[in-house]
Amino acid sequence: MIDRATIDKIYAAADIVDIISDFVSLKKKGVNYQACCPFHSEKTPSFVVSPAKGVYKCFGCGKGGNAISFVMEHEGMTYQEALKYVARKYGIEVIEKDYTPEQKKENEARESMMAVNQYAYDYFKKQLHQSGEGRNIGLSYFKERGFTDAIIERFGLGYCPAGGEVFSKEAIEAGYKEEFLIKTGLTIKRENGSYYDRFAGRVMFPVHALSGRIIAFGGRIMRTDKKTAKYLNSPESEVYHKSNTLYGVYFARKTIVEKKKCILVEGYTDVLSMFQSGIENVVASSGTSLTLEQIRLILRFTNNVTVIYDGDSAGIKASIRGIDMLLAEGVNVRVVLLPDGEDPDSFAKSRTASELNEFIESHETDFMTFKTNLLLEEVKNDPIGRAEVINEVVNSISVIPNSLIRDQYIKECSQLLDVDYSLVYSEVEKKITIRNSGKAGKEVWENKQRKERFLNRKYTERNTLAQTDSFSNINEFDELEREIVSYLLKYGTRNFYFQERNAEGKLMEPIALNVAETIIEELEIDQITLRNPVYKTIFEEYVRLWKETQEGVDIHHFINHDSIEVARFTVDIITKDEMYRPSRIWSRFEDDVISEAENLDMAVPKVIAVYKLKVLSDLTKNLFHQMENSANEEKTLELLKMVKSLDDSRKIICQKYSRIL
């Protein structure tokens, strides 16, 4: 673990504009910088970077944080990895504290596996270019496939020598442990104790993590052998999870953000050929079915995906399930079908970047048209088959989360398949209801239909009775604690005036109170502990720092906090709109609330009073519950006294804060 002093140096050196500019094109606007958000697709910039506060915030998708959390979010790094990344950028030496024995063992194992992968990467590259076998077999193969020296170097392509155990022996002689060679899958140990190189006699495609580190390999066999897999991948390990990885994403990520679109192909060579032809926003699922984790990886950079299929209809049908998964995650899906006999690899080799772009843009179709045409081609004029096609298309529409987009596709489906709009709409709604309601979905749907028919018969006009929001459904503790911590962080150093009533009920002279001092003392005097773990962490640290200095706490302590949850919450509350939008809790008590900063004399006492009353109410309910389950008369009397004491406390609070309640 990195020690606190080093972390402080990293945060002090980190220029948030400088760091984010490595990934996003920022434009200065007033005192801040602005850009289209790198975490979701948008046309109007809503991503704001504040150099003064050292934070970023997207007012579109809500993501926000500091320089370190941006690197974590954008690059898929852990907290420790992001700190090291920024430290390297500013030339800061990273000093790490001792780990616990378990942490140390786990970290050492992971780093050892990474080191083994890096050694293998360098070794395979060297073999490709410097050994006779590598040049004659591996390099010749890549050249025959039309790959240039530049693309071979950029993607770190290599060659693993044949002969069974050549790589494993050299790695062990170089000081790398057998344990980690086996764990990464580079080496297989036979029962007799001898080694076998998993990728022996194969050309090598290294797989990069988002951070650029080597986490796995893919290897293509160079001999014809029907019993041996043409392509072989590293097995799952502590550093490699295939379902979380997309080949080429490390190289494609910046262009994906710039182009606001990700092109999805199937294999390694598809990616290489597209890159070589100038199309660099392309990634591959490496020949496996698309996974939810891979889709969410794409969504870090864009929600626009174009899937490229070759002319093999069987292959398309096998992978079309991936389109529904993309739709379900809110991705805007387009499909390109290449001419018969072509795949992305061969198609890209014979075309320039402009020709490729022109073909993609002119042949892109939305998933509806593509899927409908594909399925209709099979069934021709068969009415039963046609009904099955409609059902398949309706299934796809029903997974789309955005109701407006869903409705557009319902209209398109109605036109393409010549089906009444209301029928398609009804079927889509039915599938959504059934899916959301589990096993009892069909019954839920039928009940819903019966109710709708009844209401349609009974009413000719809409019911205009006012509907009240159910306050009981709100997590009151969570909202109140959020308000308390927000006032503490934003206005801890400020004063406000407060008037309470005396025993006769008359208003006393207003007194000036400090926000932080009031909140801390009022909660401590009644020994109240916050329940939400994030708010509790902030409150307890604020109290500790406040007591040490007896003055306000610098909010940057929490913006740059070790806990990403604490940092994100802090950024969120300081980047709210200037006009205060109160939580729903306040609507229970008053109709009109002025701006937050102007309202401290009302808001701070109110949140304290309401929170205390909520705590008392919760305690009282628990006591009554105990009384209901108690058969002991003495115990019941004791519980009644406690209820009476809580009731007295409630009256005192109500009297003290009567002016604002």
Side-chain angles (χ1 to χ4, degrees):
M1 295 172 67
I2 303 173
D3 67 272
R4 186 68 241 180
T6 306
I7 292 173
D8 290 341
K9 283 183 186 176
I10 294 168
Y11 273 110
D15 181 329
I16 193 163
V17 174
D18 181 33
I19 289 170
I20 294 180
S21 292
D22 287 345
F23 308 96
V24 179
S25 179
L26 295 174
K27 290 184 179 179
K28 191 166 176 59
K29 189 171 183 181
V31 295
N32 296 326
Y33 290 80
Q34 203 171 55
C36 285
C37 181
F39 303 115
H40 81 290
S41 179
E42 61 179 9
K43 293 181 180 179
T44 304
S46 59
F47 181 83
V48 178
V49 179
S50 168
K53 294 177 180 176
V55 301
Y56 71 91
K57 177 72 175 179
C58 175
F59 292 92
C61 67
K63 288 187 185 294
N66 54 43
I68 304 300
S69 64
F70 178 87
V71 174
M72 290 175 64
E73 188 82 38
H74 196 274
E75 299 300 288
M77 294 183 182
T78 64
Y79 180 60
Q80 298 288 318
E81 288 170 341
L83 285 170
K84 290 176 184 177
Y85 173 90
V86 175
R88 285 194 298 271
K89 180 177 175 68
Y90 294 101
I92 297 170
E93 181 186 359
V94 172
I95 301 168
E96 299 195 50
K97 292 194 303 184
D98 290 338
Y99 289 90
T100 64
E102 295 79 11
Q103 288 173 326
K104 189 173 182 180
K105 187 176 179 182
E106 182 182 328
N107 189 61
E108 285 177 350
R110 181 181 173 86
E111 287 303 314
S112 295
M113 291 172 73
M114 287 292 197
V116 165
N117 280 336
Q118 184 62 44
Y119 170 80
Y121 171 78
D122 295 332
Y123 178 89
F124 296 145
K125 282 179 65 178
K126 185 177 179 181
Q127 288 293 314
L128 182 74
H129 295 285
Q130 298 182 21
S131 73
E133 181 186 344
R135 288 196 302 270
N136 293 334
I137 299 174
L139 194 57
S140 293
Y141 167 77
F142 287 131
K143 293 292 186 179
E144 285 169 13
R145 293 298 298 264
F147 296 124
T148 63
D149 290 336
I151 210 74
I152 292 170
E153 178 62 29
R154 185 174 186 183
F155 281 82
L157 306 184
Y159 178 75
C160 182
E165 57 181 7
V166 178
F167 162 75
S168 297
K169 279 192 170 181
E170 290 200 30
I172 289 171
E173 286 174 9
Y176 293 93
K177 292 183 179 178
E178 170 194 294
E179 174 192 356
F180 302 113
L181 286 163
I182 293 170
K183 279 187 173 182
T184 55
L186 288 162
T187 297
I188 297 169
K189 191 173 183 179
R190 296 187 179 102
E191 290 183 6
N192 65 6
S194 64
Y195 302 121
Y196 184 76
D197 298 336
R198 178 181 293 272
F199 298 107
R202 293 175 182 265
V203 290
M204 302 301 295
F205 301 87
V207 179
H208 296 73
L210 271 177
S211 61
R213 301 184 80 180
I214 308 299
I215 54 173
F217 296 90
R220 188 195 190 279
I221 197 166
M222 290 288 94
R223 66 179 189 275
T224 304
D225 187 348
K226 293 182 179 179
K227 293 181 180 179
T228 306
K230 185 177 179 180
Y231 279 94
L232 188 64
N233 297 310
S234 294
E236 294 278 311
S237 70
E238 289 175 38
V239 298
Y240 174 58
H241 302 285
K242 192 172 185 178
S243 63
N244 297 350
T245 308
L246 288 164
Y247 181 71
V249 71
Y250 170 67
F251 302 99
R253 55 193 179 156
K254 288 186 180 178
T255 313
I256 291 171
V257 173
E258 289 169 8
K259 302 287 185 184
K260 299 180 182 177
K261 179 167 72 176
C262 175
I263 295 173
L264 185 62
V265 294
E266 187 177 359
Y268 302 122
T269 56
D270 295 331
V271 170
L272 297 176
S273 293
M274 296 282 278
F275 257 82
Q276 188 166 291
S277 296
I279 306 297
E280 297 191 354
N281 54 327
V282 59
V283 299
S285 57
S286 304
T288 61
S289 298
L290 196 63
T291 67
L292 186 60
E293 292 81 6
Q294 288 171 334
I295 293 169
R296 288 176 178 169
L297 178 57
I298 293 171
L299 282 168
R300 290 187 182 186
F301 310 106
T302 183
N303 65 349
N304 299 308
V305 172
T306 295
V307 184
I308 298 184
Y309 290 116
D310 58 32
D312 175 15
S313 60
I316 295 171
K317 285 168 198 163
S319 60
I320 205 167
R321 172 180 161 272
I323 289 185
D324 285 359
M325 292 178 67
L326 286 162
L327 293 169
E329 291 302 304
V331 176
N332 300 320
V333 186
R334 309 284 290 176
V335 180
V336 172
L337 186 61
L338 297 178
D340 287 343
E342 295 273 22
D343 58 28
D345 178 15
S346 63
F347 193 74
K349 280 192 175 74
S350 59
R351 286 162 178 80
T352 64
S354 59
E355 288 171 339
L356 268 175
N357 273 319
E358 186 180 340
F359 181 88
I360 291 170
E361 288 174 11
S362 61
H363 288 77
E364 277 183 326
T365 58
D366 64 73
F367 93 93
M368 171 70 67
T369 305
F370 175 76
K371 188 171 185 178
T372 303
N373 291 340
L374 179 72
L375 299 177
L376 282 178
E377 191 177 335
E378 276 194 345
V379 302
K380 305 298 182 186
N381 296 320
D382 176 16
I384 294 175
R386 190 176 177 81
E388 289 175 355
V389 169
I390 295 170
N391 189 56
E392 276 289 315
V393 175
V394 165
N395 265 332
S396 293
I397 297 172
S398 69
V399 303
I400 298 172
N402 187 302
S403 58
L404 293 174
I405 296 173
R406 198 164 61 233
D407 189 61
Q408 289 301 309
Y409 279 123
I410 291 171
K411 290 173 183 174
E412 191 176 339
C413 175
S414 172
Q415 293 167 2
L416 283 171
L417 295 168
D418 194 23
V419 183
D420 185 76
Y421 169 86
S422 60
L423 179 61
V424 179
Y425 177 84
S426 179
E427 283 300 305
V428 169
E429 288 295 300
K430 178 179 179 180
K431 289 183 184 297
I432 292 170
T433 303
I434 290 172
R435 188 183 299 113
N436 292 343
S437 305
K439 293 180 180 178
K442 190 173 181 182
E443 184 180 343
V444 170
W445 168 256
E446 289 171 351
N447 286 337
K448 180 182 175 184
Q449 293 294 294
R450 279 197 295 272
K451 287 178 182 177
E452 285 184 0
R453 286 195 295 272
F454 171 76
L455 290 172
N456 285 337
R457 286 196 305 269
K458 187 170 182 180
Y459 299 107
T460 57
E461 296 180 357
R462 293 183 65 186
N463 190 343
T464 57
L465 291 176
Q467 300 297 310
T468 56
D469 190 20
S470 176
F471 185 73
S472 61
N473 290 332
I474 301 172
N475 184 338
E476 295 173 76
F477 276 112
D478 206 69
E479 281 210 58
L480 287 164
E481 289 177 359
R482 179 187 173 89
E483 295 283 336
I484 288 169
V485 173
S486 295
Y487 288 128
L488 200 60
L489 289 175
K490 293 169 75 174
Y491 307 110
T493 58
R494 292 203 187 187
N495 293 334
F496 65 94
Y497 285 94
F498 177 67
Q499 280 182 291
E500 62 176 292
R501 295 185 186 274
N502 59 22
E504 290 77 37
K506 292 181 179 180
L507 282 173
M508 299 170 66
E509 286 294 317
I511 54 172
L513 299 175
N514 173 261
V515 171
E517 185 176 358
T518 303
I519 291 174
I520 292 168
E521 289 184 355
E522 286 288 341
L523 295 190
E524 285 193 340
I525 198 170
D526 290 318
Q527 298 181 338
I528 295 174
T529 302
L530 302 189
R531 304 183 180 199
N532 181 295
V534 174
Y535 307 153
K536 182 182 177 185
T537 297
I538 294 172
F539 182 80
E540 290 179 350
E541 283 198 29
Y542 194 102
V543 171
R544 176 179 59 80
L545 294 168
W546 179 78
K547 287 183 177 178
E548 287 174 3
T549 62
Q550 285 298 310
E551 59 185 37
V553 178
D554 185 355
I555 199 167
H556 283 83
H557 173 84
F558 297 98
I559 291 174
N560 299 330
H561 200 276
D562 289 352
S563 165
I564 295 303
E565 290 79 10
V566 168
R568 282 177 178 160
F569 168 78
T570 308
V571 170
D572 186 51
I573 65 120
I574 68 169
T575 53
K576 282 199 311 181
D577 291 345
E578 288 297 316
M579 182 56 69
Y580 174 49
R581 290 196 298 266
S583 72
R584 287 185 292 168
I585 287 174
W586 303 123
S587 64
R588 184 186 185 192
F589 300 101
E590 59 188 21
D591 298 323
D592 186 31
V593 180
I594 58 176
S595 70
E596 186 178 58
E598 296 171 336
N599 199 38
L600 293 176
D601 61 329
M602 292 287 285
V604 174
K606 174 173 286 185
V607 75
I608 293 170
V610 175
Y611 185 61
K612 283 190 171 187
L613 290 173
K614 176 61 183 170
V615 170
L616 290 172
S617 174
D618 199 52
L619 290 171
T620 303
K621 284 178 184 176
N622 288 335
L623 292 174
F624 276 121
H625 181 70
Q626 290 179 50
M627 281 191 283
E628 287 173 4
N629 297 310
S630 173
N632 186 310
E633 186 176 345
E634 188 175 333
K635 176 74 180 292
T636 302
L637 287 171
E638 183 183 339
L639 292 169
L640 278 170
K641 287 180 181 177
M642 293 171 69
V643 169
K644 175 68 168 58
S645 176
L646 292 177
D647 192 48
D648 290 341
S649 297
R650 186 187 65 80
K651 288 176 181 175
I652 291 169
I653 291 170
C654 288
Q655 177 182 299
K656 181 176 181 178
Y657 296 101
S658 62
R659 186 175 66 85
I660 59 167
L661 286 178

